[in-house]
Amino acid sequence: QVQLVESGGGLVQAGGSLRLSCAASGRTFSSLAMGWFRQAPGKEREFVAAINRSGGRTSSGDSVKGRFTISRDNAKNTVYLQMNSLKPEDTAVYYCTARPDTTYYTYYTDYSKYDYWGQGTQVTVSS
């Protein structure tokens, strides 16, 4: 079992920044491909960003490209989501996800590929 605990959410003004963290336990962190998804009220779950096991390969969703950056520190068992130039439409609950992965280079943008989810952290961007 993998436990994921997100932190760093909160209320921020448009144009501001936040950094989300997700601490993982229960499995060797470097064996996990990681991702971030979000869901706003009344909307579908949306892919935000993903990263492979080593951190050398990443992907981000079209709506956040150029503003959000995913990274990981395998020594700290933590994945991060740096969010800059925040917009009111970024308001959502953000979820950290993990997938034990035997490949080394793959990241996953499909939420159904992930086995573990955190409890979510609320991000609210005011206009």
Side-chain angles (χ1 to χ4, degrees):
Q1 283 286 352
V2 175
Q3 291 78 43
L4 303 171
V5 179
E6 300 104 332
S7 61
L11 174 63
V12 64
Q13 287 190 329
S17 298
L18 280 175
R19 188 175 82 155
L20 304 184
S21 300
C22 172
S25 61
R27 194 170 181 125
T28 302
F29 186 65
S30 61
S31 71
L32 301 172
M34 304 295 294
W36 288 95
F37 290 79
R38 68 186 183 186
Q39 189 162 23
K43 293 191 175 180
E44 301 256 327
R45 194 171 340 191
E46 179 185 10
F47 167 68
V48 176
I51 191 165
N52 73 322
R53 289 170 51 186
S54 71
R57 300 189 72 229
T58 64
S59 178
S60 50
D62 290 341
S63 62
V64 306
K65 204 157 290 189
R67 300 187 297 123
F68 291 12
T69 303
I70 189 171
S71 63
R72 66 189 293 161
D73 186 336
N74 284 352
K76 294 184 178 180
N77 296 343
T78 301
V79 64
Y80 304 98
L81 184 68
Q82 178 66 46
M83 306 186 293
N84 299 328
S85 302
L86 282 159
K87 305 175 181 180
E89 51 264 43
D90 294 318
T91 295
V93 177
Y94 284 71
Y95 297 93
C96 172
T97 59
R99 172 192 168 99
D101 197 25
T102 57
T103 72
Y104 194 70
Y105 298 105
T106 308
Y107 54 74
Y108 299 88
T109 62
D110 180 352
Y111 72 86
S112 69
K113 300 293 187 184
Y114 288 93
D115 301 290
Y116 301 99
W117 290 71
Q119 81 286 353
T121 186
Q122 177 70 46
V123 171
T124 303
V125 184
S126 63
S127 57

